[in-house]
């Protein structure tokens, strides 16, 4: 007879980018995304053109670079915040 599933084989649920075991308990954060130099080059180039992407632009860019739309969205958010910080310093 097959063995009952073990404790650690509970289904994983992903809620707002964070991996959760069984939908509750300790959050397992997804490891930080490491972007290739090619991806960074494209993202930075695009940021120079526009600091904000419309949904279809984001979808297209993500598809071109092999990233998720969430990764692109968050990269742009982080970049804008970094950019504003630099601007404030003069």
């Amino acid at each position: 007879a097959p063995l009952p599933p073990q404790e650690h084989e509970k289904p994983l649920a992903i809620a707002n980018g964070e991996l959760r075991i069984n939908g509750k308990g300790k959050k397992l954060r997804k490891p930080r995304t490491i972007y290739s130099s090619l991806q960074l080059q494209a993202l930075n180039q695009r940021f120079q053109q526009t600091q904000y992407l419309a949904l279809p632009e984001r979808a297209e860019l993500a598809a071109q670079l092999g990233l998720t739309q969430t990764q692109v969205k968050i990269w742009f958010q982080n970049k804008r915040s970094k950019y504003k910080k630099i601007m404030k310093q003069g």
Side-chain angles (χ1 to χ4, degrees), residues 37-67:
S37 53
L38 219 75
Q39 288 169 332
L40 287 172
Q41 197 183 341
L43 288 162
N44 280 306
Q45 237 170 12
R46 194 55 180 273
F47 187 82
Q48 279 168 8
Q49 291 165 14
T50 177
Q51 290 187 23
Y52 292 87
L53 289 179
L55 281 165
E57 296 172 328
R58 188 175 81 194
E60 192 188 349
L61 187 61
Q64 278 171 5
L65 300 178
L67 298 167

PDB file of all heavy atoms in Angstrom, residues 37-67:
ATOM      1  N   SER A  37      23.408  40.333 -17.398  1.00  0.00           N
ATOM      2  CA  SER A  37      23.842  41.662 -17.853  1.00  0.00           C
ATOM      3  C   SER A  37      23.014  42.114 -19.055  1.00  0.00           C
ATOM      4  O   SER A  37      22.731  43.297 -19.208  1.00  0.00           O
ATOM      5  CB  SER A  37      25.336  41.666 -18.185  1.00  0.00           C
ATOM      6  OG  SER A  37      25.635  40.633 -19.090  1.00  0.00           O
ATOM      7  N   LEU A  38      22.586  41.147 -19.864  1.00  0.00           N
ATOM      8  CA  LEU A  38      21.741  41.459 -21.021  1.00  0.00           C
ATOM      9  C   LEU A  38      20.371  41.977 -20.577  1.00  0.00           C
ATOM     10  O   LEU A  38      19.846  42.938 -21.147  1.00  0.00           O
ATOM     11  CB  LEU A  38      21.563  40.197 -21.869  1.00  0.00           C
ATOM     12  CG  LEU A  38      21.584  40.406 -23.386  1.00  0.00           C
ATOM     13  CD1 LEU A  38      23.001  40.660 -23.869  1.00  0.00           C
ATOM     14  CD2 LEU A  38      20.982  39.213 -24.089  1.00  0.00           C
ATOM     15  N   GLN A  39      19.796  41.322 -19.573  1.00  0.00           N
ATOM     16  CA  GLN A  39      18.507  41.749 -19.043  1.00  0.00           C
ATOM     17  C   GLN A  39      18.612  43.144 -18.430  1.00  0.00           C
ATOM     18  O   GLN A  39      17.767  44.007 -18.682  1.00  0.00           O
ATOM     19  CB  GLN A  39      18.006  40.750 -17.998  1.00  0.00           C
ATOM     20  CG  GLN A  39      17.543  39.434 -18.596  1.00  0.00           C
ATOM     21  CD  GLN A  39      17.294  38.366 -17.548  1.00  0.00           C
ATOM     22  OE1 GLN A  39      17.903  38.368 -16.481  1.00  0.00           O
ATOM     23  NE2 GLN A  39      16.408  37.437 -17.838  1.00  0.00           N
ATOM     24  N   LEU A  40      19.672  43.368 -17.645  1.00  0.00           N
ATOM     25  CA  LEU A  40      19.872  44.672 -17.005  1.00  0.00           C
ATOM     26  C   LEU A  40      20.061  45.774 -18.038  1.00  0.00           C
ATOM     27  O   LEU A  40      19.525  46.874 -17.893  1.00  0.00           O
ATOM     28  CB  LEU A  40      21.089  44.627 -16.070  1.00  0.00           C
ATOM     29  CG  LEU A  40      20.884  43.860 -14.763  1.00  0.00           C
ATOM     30  CD1 LEU A  40      22.189  43.722 -14.014  1.00  0.00           C
ATOM     31  CD2 LEU A  40      19.833  44.538 -13.901  1.00  0.00           C
ATOM     32  N   GLN A  41      20.802  45.468 -19.084  1.00  0.00           N
ATOM     33  CA  GLN A  41      21.044  46.415 -20.159  1.00  0.00           C
ATOM     34  C   GLN A  41      19.714  46.846 -20.798  1.00  0.00           C
ATOM     35  O   GLN A  41      19.449  48.036 -20.966  1.00  0.00           O
ATOM     36  CB  GLN A  41      21.945  45.756 -21.211  1.00  0.00           C
ATOM     37  CG  GLN A  41      22.619  46.700 -22.168  1.00  0.00           C
ATOM     38  CD  GLN A  41      23.428  45.939 -23.215  1.00  0.00           C
ATOM     39  OE1 GLN A  41      23.766  44.775 -23.031  1.00  0.00           O
ATOM     40  NE2 GLN A  41      23.728  46.594 -24.316  1.00  0.00           N
ATOM     41  N   ALA A  42      18.872  45.875 -21.092  1.00  0.00           N
ATOM     42  CA  ALA A  42      17.574  46.141 -21.707  1.00  0.00           C
ATOM     43  C   ALA A  42      16.663  46.918 -20.750  1.00  0.00           C
ATOM     44  O   ALA A  42      15.983  47.863 -21.153  1.00  0.00           O
ATOM     45  CB  ALA A  42      16.915  44.834 -22.124  1.00  0.00           C
ATOM     46  N   LEU A  43      16.649  46.517 -19.480  1.00  0.00           N
ATOM     47  CA  LEU A  43      15.807  47.187 -18.486  1.00  0.00           C
ATOM     48  C   LEU A  43      16.246  48.641 -18.290  1.00  0.00           C
ATOM     49  O   LEU A  43      15.415  49.548 -18.286  1.00  0.00           O
ATOM     50  CB  LEU A  43      15.855  46.429 -17.151  1.00  0.00           C
ATOM     51  CG  LEU A  43      15.115  45.090 -17.098  1.00  0.00           C
ATOM     52  CD1 LEU A  43      15.581  44.251 -15.917  1.00  0.00           C
ATOM     53  CD2 LEU A  43      13.609  45.288 -17.055  1.00  0.00           C
ATOM     54  N   ASN A  44      17.538  48.852 -18.168  1.00  0.00           N
ATOM     55  CA  ASN A  44      18.064  50.204 -17.991  1.00  0.00           C
ATOM     56  C   ASN A  44      17.795  51.087 -19.208  1.00  0.00           C
ATOM     57  O   ASN A  44      17.447  52.258 -19.065  1.00  0.00           O
ATOM     58  CB  ASN A  44      19.569  50.164 -17.677  1.00  0.00           C
ATOM     59  CG  ASN A  44      19.835  49.841 -16.221  1.00  0.00           C
ATOM     60  OD1 ASN A  44      19.323  50.503 -15.319  1.00  0.00           O
ATOM     61  ND2 ASN A  44      20.614  48.806 -15.982  1.00  0.00           N
ATOM     62  N   GLN A  45      17.965  50.510 -20.383  1.00  0.00           N
ATOM     63  CA  GLN A  45      17.706  51.231 -21.634  1.00  0.00           C
ATOM     64  C   GLN A  45      16.245  51.685 -21.684  1.00  0.00           C
ATOM     65  O   GLN A  45      15.947  52.829 -22.014  1.00  0.00           O
ATOM     66  CB  GLN A  45      17.981  50.305 -22.825  1.00  0.00           C
ATOM     67  CG  GLN A  45      19.007  50.851 -23.796  1.00  0.00           C
ATOM     68  CD  GLN A  45      19.419  49.786 -24.802  1.00  0.00           C
ATOM     69  OE1 GLN A  45      18.800  48.732 -24.909  1.00  0.00           O
ATOM     70  NE2 GLN A  45      20.480  50.053 -25.531  1.00  0.00           N
ATOM     71  N   ARG A  46      15.363  50.773 -21.325  1.00  0.00           N
ATOM     72  CA  ARG A  46      13.939  51.068 -21.340  1.00  0.00           C
ATOM     73  C   ARG A  46      13.581  52.126 -20.307  1.00  0.00           C
ATOM     74  O   ARG A  46      12.748  53.004 -20.539  1.00  0.00           O
ATOM     75  CB  ARG A  46      13.160  49.778 -21.076  1.00  0.00           C
ATOM     76  CG  ARG A  46      11.691  49.882 -21.406  1.00  0.00           C
ATOM     77  CD  ARG A  46      11.530  50.336 -22.854  1.00  0.00           C
ATOM     78  NE  ARG A  46      10.144  50.444 -23.215  1.00  0.00           N
ATOM     79  CZ  ARG A  46       9.420  49.430 -23.684  1.00  0.00           C
ATOM     80  NH1 ARG A  46       9.959  48.239 -23.869  1.00  0.00           N
ATOM     81  NH2 ARG A  46       8.149  49.613 -23.973  1.00  0.00           N
ATOM     82  N   PHE A  47      14.246  52.041 -19.160  1.00  0.00           N
ATOM     83  CA  PHE A  47      13.997  53.009 -18.086  1.00  0.00           C
ATOM     84  C   PHE A  47      14.399  54.417 -18.516  1.00  0.00           C
ATOM     85  O   PHE A  47      13.770  55.389 -18.112  1.00  0.00           O
ATOM     86  CB  PHE A  47      14.755  52.607 -16.815  1.00  0.00           C
ATOM     87  CG  PHE A  47      14.427  53.461 -15.620  1.00  0.00           C
ATOM     88  CD1 PHE A  47      13.293  53.204 -14.864  1.00  0.00           C
ATOM     89  CD2 PHE A  47      15.245  54.507 -15.238  1.00  0.00           C
ATOM     90  CE1 PHE A  47      12.978  53.985 -13.762  1.00  0.00           C
ATOM     91  CE2 PHE A  47      14.944  55.296 -14.143  1.00  0.00           C
ATOM     92  CZ  PHE A  47      13.803  55.036 -13.401  1.00  0.00           C
ATOM     93  N   GLN A  48      15.440  54.513 -19.315  1.00  0.00           N
ATOM     94  CA  GLN A  48      15.882  55.818 -19.817  1.00  0.00           C
ATOM     95  C   GLN A  48      14.831  56.425 -20.744  1.00  0.00           C
ATOM     96  O   GLN A  48      14.644  57.635 -20.768  1.00  0.00           O
ATOM     97  CB  GLN A  48      17.220  55.698 -20.552  1.00  0.00           C
ATOM     98  CG  GLN A  48      18.409  55.664 -19.596  1.00  0.00           C
ATOM     99  CD  GLN A  48      19.712  55.264 -20.274  1.00  0.00           C
ATOM    100  OE1 GLN A  48      19.774  55.151 -21.493  1.00  0.00           O
ATOM    101  NE2 GLN A  48      20.740  55.035 -19.481  1.00  0.00           N
ATOM    102  N   GLN A  49      14.140  55.582 -21.490  1.00  0.00           N
ATOM    103  CA  GLN A  49      13.071  56.050 -22.377  1.00  0.00           C
ATOM    104  C   GLN A  49      11.852  56.459 -21.563  1.00  0.00           C
ATOM    105  O   GLN A  49      11.281  57.522 -21.784  1.00  0.00           O
ATOM    106  CB  GLN A  49      12.665  54.947 -23.364  1.00  0.00           C
ATOM    107  CG  GLN A  49      13.726  54.621 -24.403  1.00  0.00           C
ATOM    108  CD  GLN A  49      13.441  53.302 -25.112  1.00  0.00           C
ATOM    109  OE1 GLN A  49      12.341  52.760 -25.018  1.00  0.00           O
ATOM    110  NE2 GLN A  49      14.443  52.778 -25.796  1.00  0.00           N
ATOM    111  N   THR A  50      11.451  55.610 -20.637  1.00  0.00           N
ATOM    112  CA  THR A  50      10.270  55.883 -19.825  1.00  0.00           C
ATOM    113  C   THR A  50      10.400  55.225 -18.461  1.00  0.00           C
ATOM    114  O   THR A  50      10.886  54.105 -18.362  1.00  0.00           O
ATOM    115  CB  THR A  50       8.985  55.392 -20.520  1.00  0.00           C
ATOM    116  OG1 THR A  50       7.881  55.625 -19.636  1.00  0.00           O
ATOM    117  CG2 THR A  50       9.036  53.920 -20.861  1.00  0.00           C
ATOM    118  N   GLN A  51       9.990  55.948 -17.411  1.00  0.00           N
ATOM    119  CA  GLN A  51      10.079  55.400 -16.061  1.00  0.00           C
ATOM    120  C   GLN A  51       8.868  54.545 -15.714  1.00  0.00           C
ATOM    121  O   GLN A  51       8.872  53.845 -14.712  1.00  0.00           O
ATOM    122  CB  GLN A  51      10.198  56.536 -15.048  1.00  0.00           C
ATOM    123  CG  GLN A  51      11.534  57.249 -15.127  1.00  0.00           C
ATOM    124  CD  GLN A  51      11.693  58.255 -14.005  1.00  0.00           C
ATOM    125  OE1 GLN A  51      11.049  58.157 -12.965  1.00  0.00           O
ATOM    126  NE2 GLN A  51      12.556  59.221 -14.228  1.00  0.00           N
ATOM    127  N   TYR A  52       7.829  54.641 -16.534  1.00  0.00           N
ATOM    128  CA  TYR A  52       6.603  53.885 -16.269  1.00  0.00           C
ATOM    129  C   TYR A  52       6.213  53.068 -17.484  1.00  0.00           C
ATOM    130  O   TYR A  52       6.193  53.593 -18.594  1.00  0.00           O
ATOM    131  CB  TYR A  52       5.458  54.836 -15.902  1.00  0.00           C
ATOM    132  CG  TYR A  52       5.682  55.516 -14.573  1.00  0.00           C
ATOM    133  CD1 TYR A  52       6.395  56.699 -14.491  1.00  0.00           C
ATOM    134  CD2 TYR A  52       5.187  54.955 -13.398  1.00  0.00           C
ATOM    135  CE1 TYR A  52       6.618  57.331 -13.269  1.00  0.00           C
ATOM    136  CE2 TYR A  52       5.398  55.567 -12.167  1.00  0.00           C
ATOM    137  CZ  TYR A  52       6.113  56.750 -12.115  1.00  0.00           C
ATOM    138  OH  TYR A  52       6.326  57.354 -10.913  1.00  0.00           O
ATOM    139  N   LEU A  53       5.909  51.802 -17.267  1.00  0.00           N
ATOM    140  CA  LEU A  53       5.495  50.924 -18.360  1.00  0.00           C
ATOM    141  C   LEU A  53       3.997  50.680 -18.296  1.00  0.00           C
ATOM    142  O   LEU A  53       3.462  50.411 -17.220  1.00  0.00           O
ATOM    143  CB  LEU A  53       6.207  49.571 -18.254  1.00  0.00           C
ATOM    144  CG  LEU A  53       7.699  49.498 -18.548  1.00  0.00           C
ATOM    145  CD1 LEU A  53       8.180  48.073 -18.358  1.00  0.00           C
ATOM    146  CD2 LEU A  53       8.011  49.980 -19.942  1.00  0.00           C
ATOM    147  N   ALA A  54       3.337  50.761 -19.445  1.00  0.00           N
ATOM    148  CA  ALA A  54       1.939  50.342 -19.527  1.00  0.00           C
ATOM    149  C   ALA A  54       1.907  48.812 -19.496  1.00  0.00           C
ATOM    150  O   ALA A  54       2.905  48.163 -19.805  1.00  0.00           O
ATOM    151  CB  ALA A  54       1.313  50.867 -20.812  1.00  0.00           C
ATOM    152  N   LEU A  55       0.765  48.257 -19.132  1.00  0.00           N
ATOM    153  CA  LEU A  55       0.645  46.799 -19.012  1.00  0.00           C
ATOM    154  C   LEU A  55       1.122  46.026 -20.245  1.00  0.00           C
ATOM    155  O   LEU A  55       1.892  45.072 -20.101  1.00  0.00           O
ATOM    156  CB  LEU A  55      -0.792  46.416 -18.668  1.00  0.00           C
ATOM    157  CG  LEU A  55      -1.172  46.592 -17.198  1.00  0.00           C
ATOM    158  CD1 LEU A  55      -2.674  46.539 -17.022  1.00  0.00           C
ATOM    159  CD2 LEU A  55      -0.516  45.527 -16.345  1.00  0.00           C
ATOM    160  N   PRO A  56       0.672  46.415 -21.463  1.00  0.00           N
ATOM    161  CA  PRO A  56       1.143  45.660 -22.634  1.00  0.00           C
ATOM    162  C   PRO A  56       2.655  45.774 -22.846  1.00  0.00           C
ATOM    163  O   PRO A  56       3.301  44.815 -23.265  1.00  0.00           O
ATOM    164  CB  PRO A  56       0.403  46.276 -23.816  1.00  0.00           C
ATOM    165  CG  PRO A  56      -0.549  47.270 -23.261  1.00  0.00           C
ATOM    166  CD  PRO A  56      -0.251  47.486 -21.820  1.00  0.00           C
ATOM    167  N   GLU A  57       3.205  46.944 -22.525  1.00  0.00           N
ATOM    168  CA  GLU A  57       4.665  47.136 -22.650  1.00  0.00           C
ATOM    169  C   GLU A  57       5.396  46.247 -21.668  1.00  0.00           C
ATOM    170  O   GLU A  57       6.420  45.647 -21.994  1.00  0.00           O
ATOM    171  CB  GLU A  57       5.032  48.603 -22.378  1.00  0.00           C
ATOM    172  CG  GLU A  57       4.456  49.586 -23.373  1.00  0.00           C
ATOM    173  CD  GLU A  57       4.692  51.035 -22.953  1.00  0.00           C
ATOM    174  OE1 GLU A  57       4.714  51.324 -21.729  1.00  0.00           O
ATOM    175  OE2 GLU A  57       4.836  51.879 -23.847  1.00  0.00           O
ATOM    176  N   ARG A  58       4.859  46.172 -20.463  1.00  0.00           N
ATOM    177  CA  ARG A  58       5.475  45.335 -19.439  1.00  0.00           C
ATOM    178  C   ARG A  58       5.436  43.874 -19.843  1.00  0.00           C
ATOM    179  O   ARG A  58       6.432  43.152 -19.716  1.00  0.00           O
ATOM    180  CB  ARG A  58       4.755  45.543 -18.106  1.00  0.00           C
ATOM    181  CG  ARG A  58       5.449  44.862 -16.944  1.00  0.00           C
ATOM    182  CD  ARG A  58       4.778  45.180 -15.648  1.00  0.00           C
ATOM    183  NE  ARG A  58       3.608  44.348 -15.448  1.00  0.00           N
ATOM    184  CZ  ARG A  58       2.675  44.590 -14.528  1.00  0.00           C
ATOM    185  NH1 ARG A  58       2.748  45.648 -13.775  1.00  0.00           N
ATOM    186  NH2 ARG A  58       1.652  43.767 -14.395  1.00  0.00           N
ATOM    187  N   ALA A  59       4.296  43.442 -20.372  1.00  0.00           N
ATOM    188  CA  ALA A  59       4.132  42.051 -20.811  1.00  0.00           C
ATOM    189  C   ALA A  59       5.127  41.723 -21.916  1.00  0.00           C
ATOM    190  O   ALA A  59       5.769  40.670 -21.900  1.00  0.00           O
ATOM    191  CB  ALA A  59       2.700  41.822 -21.286  1.00  0.00           C
ATOM    192  N   GLU A  60       5.259  42.643 -22.855  1.00  0.00           N
ATOM    193  CA  GLU A  60       6.154  42.444 -23.991  1.00  0.00           C
ATOM    194  C   GLU A  60       7.610  42.385 -23.549  1.00  0.00           C
ATOM    195  O   GLU A  60       8.359  41.492 -23.951  1.00  0.00           O
ATOM    196  CB  GLU A  60       5.951  43.600 -24.983  1.00  0.00           C
ATOM    197  CG  GLU A  60       6.606  43.361 -26.328  1.00  0.00           C
ATOM    198  CD  GLU A  60       6.556  44.596 -27.233  1.00  0.00           C
ATOM    199  OE1 GLU A  60       5.837  45.559 -26.885  1.00  0.00           O
ATOM    200  OE2 GLU A  60       7.244  44.579 -28.263  1.00  0.00           O
ATOM    201  N   LEU A  61       8.000  43.326 -22.700  1.00  0.00           N
ATOM    202  CA  LEU A  61       9.375  43.377 -22.206  1.00  0.00           C
ATOM    203  C   LEU A  61       9.711  42.119 -21.409  1.00  0.00           C
ATOM    204  O   LEU A  61      10.776  41.518 -21.589  1.00  0.00           O
ATOM    205  CB  LEU A  61       9.587  44.633 -21.352  1.00  0.00           C
ATOM    206  CG  LEU A  61      11.009  44.929 -20.889  1.00  0.00           C
ATOM    207  CD1 LEU A  61      11.952  45.137 -22.079  1.00  0.00           C
ATOM    208  CD2 LEU A  61      11.050  46.148 -19.982  1.00  0.00           C
ATOM    209  N   ALA A  62       8.794  41.703 -20.562  1.00  0.00           N
ATOM    210  CA  ALA A  62       8.997  40.498 -19.753  1.00  0.00           C
ATOM    211  C   ALA A  62       9.194  39.280 -20.657  1.00  0.00           C
ATOM    212  O   ALA A  62      10.112  38.484 -20.449  1.00  0.00           O
ATOM    213  CB  ALA A  62       7.808  40.283 -18.821  1.00  0.00           C
ATOM    214  N   ALA A  63       8.348  39.174 -21.681  1.00  0.00           N
ATOM    215  CA  ALA A  63       8.436  38.048 -22.615  1.00  0.00           C
ATOM    216  C   ALA A  63       9.772  38.064 -23.372  1.00  0.00           C
ATOM    217  O   ALA A  63      10.420  37.029 -23.510  1.00  0.00           O
ATOM    218  CB  ALA A  63       7.269  38.087 -23.595  1.00  0.00           C
ATOM    219  N   GLN A  64      10.177  39.237 -23.818  1.00  0.00           N
ATOM    220  CA  GLN A  64      11.447  39.374 -24.555  1.00  0.00           C
ATOM    221  C   GLN A  64      12.631  38.941 -23.701  1.00  0.00           C
ATOM    222  O   GLN A  64      13.573  38.327 -24.191  1.00  0.00           O
ATOM    223  CB  GLN A  64      11.664  40.837 -24.956  1.00  0.00           C
ATOM    224  CG  GLN A  64      10.930  41.277 -26.204  1.00  0.00           C
ATOM    225  CD  GLN A  64      11.030  42.792 -26.401  1.00  0.00           C
ATOM    226  OE1 GLN A  64      11.723  43.486 -25.654  1.00  0.00           O
ATOM    227  NE2 GLN A  64      10.323  43.291 -27.395  1.00  0.00           N
ATOM    228  N   LEU A  65      12.588  39.291 -22.418  1.00  0.00           N
ATOM    229  CA  LEU A  65      13.741  39.056 -21.547  1.00  0.00           C
ATOM    230  C   LEU A  65      13.659  37.753 -20.762  1.00  0.00           C
ATOM    231  O   LEU A  65      14.565  37.426 -20.005  1.00  0.00           O
ATOM    232  CB  LEU A  65      13.900  40.227 -20.572  1.00  0.00           C
ATOM    233  CG  LEU A  65      14.125  41.601 -21.204  1.00  0.00           C
ATOM    234  CD1 LEU A  65      14.211  42.668 -20.136  1.00  0.00           C
ATOM    235  CD2 LEU A  65      15.375  41.606 -22.068  1.00  0.00           C
ATOM    236  N   GLY A  66      12.564  37.027 -20.927  1.00  0.00           N
ATOM    237  CA  GLY A  66      12.405  35.776 -20.194  1.00  0.00           C
ATOM    238  C   GLY A  66      12.231  35.994 -18.698  1.00  0.00           C
ATOM    239  O   GLY A  66      12.692  35.197 -17.893  1.00  0.00           O
ATOM    240  N   LEU A  67      11.566  37.092 -18.338  1.00  0.00           N
ATOM    241  CA  LEU A  67      11.271  37.382 -16.937  1.00  0.00           C
ATOM    242  C   LEU A  67       9.758  37.355 -16.743  1.00  0.00           C
ATOM    243  O   LEU A  67       9.018  37.372 -17.718  1.00  0.00           O
ATOM    244  CB  LEU A  67      11.801  38.775 -16.564  1.00  0.00           C
ATOM    245  CG  LEU A  67      13.310  39.011 -16.657  1.00  0.00           C
ATOM    246  CD1 LEU A  67      13.630  40.490 -16.576  1.00  0.00           C
ATOM    247  CD2 LEU A  67      14.041  38.246 -15.567  1.00  0.00           C
TER     248      LEU A  67
END
